[in-house]
Amino acid sequence: MIRVGIAGFGNIGRGVEKAVCAAEDMELVAVFTRRDPSTIKLDMSTAPVFSASAAEKMIQEIDVMILCGGSATDLAIQGPHFASLFSTVDSFDTHAKIPEYLDIMDDAAQSTTAIVSTGWDPGLFSMMRALSEAVIPSGATYTFWGKGVSQGHSDAIRRIEGVAHAVQYTVPLQDAIDLVRSGTLPELETRQKHLRECYVVAKPDADKAAIKTAIKTMPNYFADYDTVVHFIEREELLANHSTMPHGGMVLRSGATGETKQGMEFSLNLASNPEFTGSVMTAYARAAHRMALEGLYGAKTVFDVPLSYLAPSNRATWIKELL
Amino acid sequence: MIRVGIAGFGNIGRGVEKAVCAAEDMELVAVFTRRDPSTIKLDMSTAPVFSASAAEKMIQEIDVMILCGGSATDLAIQGPHFASLFSTVDSFDTHAKIPEYLDIMDDAAQSTTAIVSTGWDPGLFSMMRALSEAVIPSGATYTFWGKGVSQGHSDAIRRIEGVAHAVQYTVPLQDAIDLVRSGTLPELETRQKHLRECYVVAKPDADKAAIKTAIKTMPNYFADYDTVVHFIEREELLANHSTMPHGGMVLRSGATGETKQGMEFSLNLASNPEFTGSVMTAYARAAHRMALEGLYGAKTVFDVPLSYLAPSNRATWIKELL
């Protein structure tokens, strides 16, 4: 059994808990939190919840620590700390800072294996961008996200004065997907690829017109997109917009010589955090196996052979799936 | 520059030639054939064509030999022979015999790296079956092929008395794909998944009804499928059915707990042999790089980290694609 710890117990931590409990070759040893451990209730497991500082005493009891903190602030500190103690998996997703984070983790993972930036983007989508470039070298790659909830954009709306609640969906535009599929290698503007659709609960007496303008003109988040704003009641938001679906596609359109060749990968996820947790859990298996072989240091999804992810083993996969 | 040889110059060999010539980090050193070398004309390269027996004198001049022979008879002999001399890549595709072939190649590849069963099925599709099982452990995987030309089925028709020419398309059935996408994990019969569509040129005075019956009742090839037979003229066959498109999809339908999660991978190929050749060429890069690191022996697509396929390098992929 691979002995797993979870560091951080938000939505992704809960997804990891579910995936680890479902994996026949894993056991959840403990959850670590920076909150008061007594306030954390696990969904499925009877594993104990400890303060994050207790982890360093458990080096002998945990094989892999799955880091479920956020990229913005948590992982830059927690990542190297845990990687110096345990093999780790994380979903560090600030794309521009990954090389720097990878270096820091590589320094920390002297006798452990730290697989960084797993999940689906970065993660599976990155793998598809890479694989498709390798096998269709002449062409262009397009990534579409959604339809799905963007936590970052939802949070940005919630910070606007007069907004009580908000959920933002990123919606890929079918016309753009069709254009990519046509094989004409279109250059697509930001606005042509995705629509942003916002469901907003306004506070009583809030100025809805002002909220709408504030959303639509918000730099980085909305200004470059066509944005639709729907004002709804709190009850409707809770009833219809409280799950976290997501997904998207990576399309490679290209050619061998003049001969058109296309590749597509898509995800259709009813729960983004549960799927992300499931991917991280698969990579926890890989981290443990790589560490057993002395393959220490920080790794990315580009460095991990698929066989290390097998719930069974390499021979079974070769026999049954190759 | 990675110095590449091609062993066998049929459709896939031509696809490899095209891909190697397009790769900036590769040069085609020579093509080897069991036919009279003077009868072989390359499409793009000025590389020499030698008799297959000349290869063993060129160990110092070739880094990777891409084996373009067929699985049925060629590779069982040629594979281990070449793997004892060079790092190799092949597209051995007799699924049931892959474990045995892998063992033979592993014995032969004592100081070389032999990547077996690349291409797209086995190959990319195998990777997707594996990856999707790892990240969605609870669920079912479905592979659909086509619409595309099956060489084996076309050949089988051509062996029927009275048949002058034939092209067989494997056609995936949209109803089955939709059923899979619904997430109900259907158990699909062979007949429900694919249709077989045959374009046949009959010899003068041939008994078309007998040909049709012979096709539709042919065991293994057609008896388990709904098969449509079109008799056409030779000119129409040449005009409309002489390219070799193919493709297909791997779908994983499953759940994390009760939460539905779906993954799809699809290929839409205007030329099956050119794409297969392009995939093999990407794995030739990997074979060379693994051999340089002393990672000898027979490998599958499950064993090769994606970074070894990068036309650029790992750091570039991490920066640009992760």
Side-chain angles (χ1 to χ4, degrees), chain B residues 45-312:
Chain B
S45 166
T46 57
V49 181
F50 296 128
S51 173
S53 59
E56 55 195 274
K57 291 170 221 144
M58 296 184 69
I59 296 180
Q60 300 303 325
E61 286 140 85
I62 290 171
D63 296 314
V64 188
M65 188 71 84
I66 304 183
L67 309 182
C68 302
S71 307
T73 53
D74 301 343
L75 287 175
I77 308 295
Q78 289 176 16
H81 168 66
F82 282 116
S84 71
L85 303 169
F86 306 96
S87 287
T88 63
V89 171
D90 66 55
S91 61
F92 186 89
D93 66 357
T94 311
H95 290 260
K97 293 188 176 171
I98 289 174
E100 184 189 338
Y101 180 69
L102 184 66
D103 282 346
I104 294 169
M105 291 296 275
D106 198 47
D107 283 343
Q110 291 295 321
S111 57
T112 60
T113 304
I115 307 182
V116 310
S117 301
T118 70
W120 59 276
D121 197 356
L124 303 190
F125 273 20
S126 322
M127 294 166 75
M128 295 307 137
R129 288 188 284 263
L131 180 62
S132 65
E133 181 188 299
V135 300
I136 309 178
S138 170
T141 303
Y142 302 81
T143 303
F144 291 89
W145 296 274
K147 180 182 177 173
V149 173
S150 164
Q151 217 55 56
H153 287 79
S154 301
D155 290 345
I157 300 173
R158 285 185 209 114
R159 288 192 291 266
I160 296 171
E161 193 183 326
V163 171
H165 297 282
V167 171
Q168 192 266 189
Y169 294 91
T170 305
V171 184
L173 293 168
Q174 191 61 43
D175 284 355
I177 294 170
D178 291 343
L179 204 56
V180 170
R181 284 181 175 157
S182 74
T184 55
L185 305 183
E187 292 203 18
L188 297 168
E189 307 273 328
T190 298
R191 191 179 300 276
Q192 289 175 280
K193 289 182 69 188
H194 297 93
L195 179 79
R196 298 208 172 275
E197 193 164 22
C198 313
Y199 292 85
V200 180
V201 179
K203 289 179 182 166
D205 306 322
D207 180 346
K208 290 184 180 174
I211 291 172
K212 199 167 179 173
T213 302
I215 294 172
K216 290 190 168 203
T217 59
M218 193 185 299
N220 301 321
Y221 285 87
F222 294 98
D224 297 336
Y225 297 84
D226 289 335
T227 301
V228 178
V229 179
H230 308 280
F231 286 99
I232 60 173
E233 296 303 313
R234 182 184 154 82
E235 291 66 36
E236 189 187 336
L237 190 92
L238 293 175
N240 299 337
H241 304 287
S242 59
T243 59
M244 283 174 281
H246 218 312
M249 351 178 42
V250 175
L251 297 95
R252 179 76 175 175
S253 175
T256 45
E258 300 296 311
T259 314
K260 285 188 181 174
Q261 314 281 17
M263 181 184 297
E264 296 187 17
F265 179 79
S266 66
L267 292 170
N268 183 7
L269 311 172
S271 167
N272 180 1
E274 286 191 13
F275 183 72
T276 300
S278 188
V279 175
M280 294 174 80
T281 301
Y283 277 93
R285 183 179 293 124
H288 177 60
R289 289 176 177 172
M290 293 178 88
L292 285 179
E293 294 182 13
L295 300 170
Y296 300 143
K299 313 289 178 189
T300 70
V301 292
F302 299 149
D303 305 314
V304 180
L306 291 179
S307 60
Y308 286 78
L309 303 173
S312 53

Side-chain angles (χ1 to χ4, degrees), chain A residues 129-258:
Chain A
R129 287 187 285 262
L131 180 62
S132 64
E133 181 188 299
V135 301
I136 308 177
S138 170
T141 303
Y142 301 82
T143 304
F144 291 90
W145 295 274
K147 182 180 175 177
V149 173
S150 164
Q151 217 56 56
H153 287 78
S154 301
D155 289 345
I157 299 172
R158 285 187 209 112
R159 287 191 291 265
I160 294 171
E161 193 182 328
V163 171
H165 296 283
V167 171
Q168 193 267 188
Y169 294 92
T170 305
V171 184
L173 292 168
Q174 191 60 44
D175 283 354
I177 295 170
D178 291 343
L179 203 58
V180 170
R181 284 182 174 154
S182 74
T184 55
L185 305 183
E187 292 203 18
L188 297 167
E189 307 274 326
T190 298
R191 192 180 301 276
Q192 288 176 281
K193 290 182 67 186
H194 297 94
L195 179 79
R196 298 209 172 273
E197 194 164 18
C198 313
Y199 292 85
V200 180
V201 179
K203 289 180 182 167
D205 307 321
D207 180 346
K208 290 184 180 175
I211 291 172
K212 199 167 180 173
T213 302
I215 295 173
K216 291 192 170 203
T217 59
M218 195 187 298
N220 301 320
Y221 286 87
F222 294 99
D224 297 335
Y225 297 85
D226 288 335
T227 301
V228 179
V229 179
H230 308 280
F231 286 99
I232 59 174
E233 296 304 313
R234 182 184 154 82
E235 291 66 35
E236 189 187 335
L237 190 93
L238 292 175
N240 299 337
H241 304 286
S242 59
T243 61
M244 283 174 281
H246 219 311
M249 348 179 45
V250 175
L251 297 96
R252 179 77 175 174
S253 175
T256 47
E258 300 296 310

